[in-house]
Amino acid sequence: MKLKVYFYILAILLLLVFGFTLYENLDAPSWKTLALEGLILGTVVYLVIFYRKTVRPLQTISNGMDLLREQDFSSKLREVGQYEADRVVAIFNRMMAQLKNERLQLREQNEFLDLLITASPMGVIVLNYDHQITDLNPAAVRLLDVKNADGVRGKTISEIKESVPIDLSEIPMHETRSIGLSNGTVYKCSLESFVDRGFPRPFYLIESLTEEVRRAEKKAYEKVIRMISHEVNNTTAGITSTLDTVIEGLEPVPEAEDMRQAMQICVERCYGMSRFITNFADVVKIPKAERELIDLNRLITNLIRFMEVMCTHKNIRLTFKPDEHLPPVLLDTSLFDQVILNIIKNAVESIEENGEIIITTEAQSKKLVIADNGKGISREVEKKIFNPFFSSKPQGQGIGLLFIREVLAQHDVQYSLRTYPDNWTRFIIRFD
């Protein structure tokens, strides 16, 4: 029960007592009656003053507590004309003004952080205490390649790892790892936490390192290739020249036929080593792409005629399904010819014999898909497939996919190479 109610009860009881006393003394002398009336009037005046000085200020402070509970920091209390109460009112009003300013600043900071996270190129994924996804910014939606953020909210990272390209489930708390994808991109992924309501709350940061890593890789392997190419070519040139001279000098000597054959094998081995190094050097010397609008369907049709002989020889069916509505795309014809030939060649080597390669173009999504039903690519190999000079073949040099990567990077296109659940391996190139 509020203090105001207690005051009303007390006032009524006092007035009843005084009224009953006055009623009992109506026959008393007039002076006594006047005294009782004066006492009742004085009591009423005192109650009014007491209400204004005590009950009303307390009621005002109680109203202020209600405002504070409802977090209405924009309202203020009015002074009541009582010194002690007005001091409390003044302190309360200052507190409310400070809370209002702090709340406004906090809201502005939160809005600023929201805008910053939304605009950030770094992916941010926030989890709840049960490690379920509660929020993710547009960059994270793009990097995870999900159509709708609501589709992954409420799920754990382990539950979505099979449907997204970046597997974050193996990252321990407070650690950072580099994750490579089937399209040659590299991401720096971290799992950290912040304190929310007294408890640690985890979140992921995803940062693209692709361009930085590629520039560093290219700078390193170009320097190594140039140095090795220079030394090997100079050395092999001297050796082959000397061996050719000795072979010519031994021609009149029939007994030296075996020696001449051994020397000829050494010469051929030197030329093979030179060609081996030249293959690496050619990657460094890829010319800059000179792009122009090209009919991709016509380009692929011409290349298929060139590749059909090799496919037919291995009983591989090569099929092209063009989308006639595909608009012209900006390409360097000579470089892109080599890209498609390398992709088809890799598909043929993956199938070996008795298989199928299907090439399709799609106008709506502006993409080229080269699919084969060969041996496929494991998830572990997917992460390394575009690394410089990596090859899953025993005698492979890893040059073909490196060449493809460098050319496609010059064309500013998105691409991926992976084996899907239907056991078809697809090389997908998306043109913006």
Side-chain angles (χ1 to χ4, degrees):
M1 205 181 295
K2 294 184 178 180
L3 181 63
K4 190 175 182 180
V5 176
Y6 285 115
F7 174 80
Y8 287 149
I9 293 174
L10 176 62
I12 292 171
L13 289 175
L14 286 175
L15 293 176
L16 287 174
V17 170
F18 284 125
F20 180 75
T21 304
L22 179 62
Y23 177 76
E24 289 293 327
N25 292 277
L26 287 177
D27 297 332
S30 59
W31 64 270
K32 191 174 182 179
T33 302
L34 290 174
L36 286 172
E37 291 176 353
L39 182 60
I40 293 171
L41 182 60
T43 302
V44 171
V45 173
Y46 180 79
L47 288 173
V48 172
I49 295 173
F50 184 81
Y51 176 82
R52 295 185 61 186
K53 296 295 185 180
T54 304
V55 178
R56 185 180 173 189
L58 290 177
Q59 183 64 35
T60 300
I61 294 173
S62 177
N63 294 336
M65 295 301 105
D66 292 337
L67 294 174
L68 190 60
R69 182 176 61 253
E70 295 172 2
Q71 297 186 3
D72 183 5
F73 303 139
S74 60
S75 300
K76 290 185 178 182
L77 300 181
R78 290 193 299 177
E79 295 182 352
V80 295
Q82 206 275 334
Y83 176 71
E84 289 79 7
D86 287 347
R87 288 184 60 193
V88 175
V89 168
I91 294 173
F92 182 85
N93 287 339
R94 286 200 299 271
M95 181 185 68
M96 293 289 278
Q98 185 174 354
L99 288 173
K100 178 182 177 181
N101 292 334
E102 290 180 356
R103 186 179 189 180
L104 181 61
Q105 291 177 0
L106 184 61
R107 184 177 297 172
E108 290 176 347
Q109 290 176 357
N110 288 338
E111 290 179 356
F112 174 76
L113 288 175
D114 287 342
L115 291 173
L116 184 63
I117 292 174
T118 301
S120 173
M122 182 183 297
V124 181
I125 305 173
V126 182
L127 312 180
N128 60 16
Y129 304 116
D130 296 323
H131 293 266
Q132 296 171 330
I133 298 173
T134 59
D135 200 10
L136 58 170
N137 68 343
V141 173
R142 185 182 71 254
L143 295 175
L144 294 180
D145 195 23
V146 294
K147 295 181 180 179
N148 189 353
D150 293 332
V152 297
R153 286 193 177 97
K155 298 181 180 179
T156 63
I157 294 296
S158 298
E159 290 174 342
I160 67 169
K161 70 176 184 178
E162 297 297 331
S163 59
V164 298
I166 307 176
D167 183 7
L168 304 172
S169 60
E170 300 298 326
I171 302 178
M173 179 63 73
H174 304 303
E175 286 196 17
T176 299
R177 291 187 178 178
S178 296
I179 298 178
L181 303 187
S182 60
N183 59 1
T185 55
V186 180
Y187 294 101
K188 174 183 174 184
C189 304
S190 306
L191 176 57
E192 299 294 340
S193 65
F194 62 93
V195 177
D196 182 19
R197 302 172 189 175
F199 297 94
R201 191 168 171 183
F203 68 97
Y204 287 94
L205 293 177
I206 308 173
E207 180 181 5
S208 175
L209 297 178
T210 305
E211 292 305 318
E212 291 81 355
V213 170
R214 286 182 179 175
R215 282 197 293 267
E217 286 177 347
K218 189 173 182 179
K219 185 176 181 181
Y221 71 66
E222 282 182 351
K223 183 177 180 180
V224 172
I225 288 174
R226 288 193 182 98
M227 184 171 60
I228 293 176
S229 178
H230 176 76
E231 294 298 328
V232 170
N233 287 334
N234 287 347
T235 302
T236 55
I239 292 174
T240 54
S241 177
T242 301
L243 289 175
D244 286 339
T245 301
V246 174
I247 290 172
E248 290 177 2
L250 292 176
E251 281 184 359
V253 184
E255 296 81 1
E257 180 63 25
D258 291 341
M259 184 176 293
R260 288 201 306 272
Q261 290 180 358
M263 289 182 179
Q264 188 61 43
I265 292 173
C266 291
V267 170
E268 292 174 358
R269 178 59 181 162
C270 287
Y271 284 133
M273 179 64 69
S274 181
R275 288 193 298 270
F276 182 85
I277 294 300
T278 300
N279 288 336
F280 286 104
D282 288 341
V283 176
V284 179
K285 299 174 183 177
I286 295 176
K288 184 177 179 181
E290 300 292 339
R291 295 187 290 176
E292 57 182 340
L293 288 174
I294 299 296
D295 184 345
L296 183 61
N297 289 334
R298 179 181 296 178
L299 183 147
I300 295 173
T301 300
N302 294 334
L303 290 176
I304 285 178
R305 293 170 184 162
F306 177 76
M307 297 296 293
E308 275 179 341
V309 176
M310 179 176 62
C311 292
T312 303
H313 180 70
K314 295 188 176 184
N315 196 27
I316 297 173
R317 185 169 60 184
L318 182 60
T319 306
F320 179 38
K321 299 178 180 179
D323 189 333
E324 300 300 334
H325 301 288
L326 180 71
V329 292
L330 281 171
L331 297 175
D332 183 306
T333 303
S334 59
L335 289 177
F336 213 80
D337 276 351
Q338 294 301 315
V339 166
I340 296 177
L341 289 175
N342 271 281
I343 295 173
I344 297 175
K345 176 176 173 291
N346 289 339
V348 170
E349 292 175 352
S350 176
I351 296 172
E352 293 181 350
E353 286 185 341
N354 304 320
E356 185 176 7
I357 299 173
I358 301 176
I359 304 174
T360 58
T361 56
E362 297 180 15
Q364 184 174 2
S365 54
K366 289 191 70 174
K367 68 180 181 181
L368 165 66
V369 181
I370 303 176
D372 70 81
N373 59 353
K375 293 180 295 185
I377 304 170
S378 68
R379 292 300 293 268
E380 289 301 318
V381 173
E382 275 184 16
K383 300 175 182 179
K384 307 173 185 177
I385 197 74
F386 285 102
N387 288 355
F389 314 119
F390 172 82
S391 176
S392 58
K393 305 168 190 174
Q395 304 300 323
Q397 294 178 253
I399 294 177
L401 286 174
L402 179 60
F403 172 83
I404 292 171
R405 189 190 85 170
E406 295 299 325
V407 173
L408 294 182
Q410 286 196 43
H411 284 78
D412 297 322
V413 297
Q414 297 179 351
Y415 59 93
S416 64
L417 173 59
R418 60 177 298 196
T419 299
Y420 290 80
D422 59 1
N423 294 324
W424 280 78
T425 301
R426 294 179 176 87
F427 200 122
I428 302 175
I429 302 174
R430 293 181 174 86
F431 303 93
D432 293 332

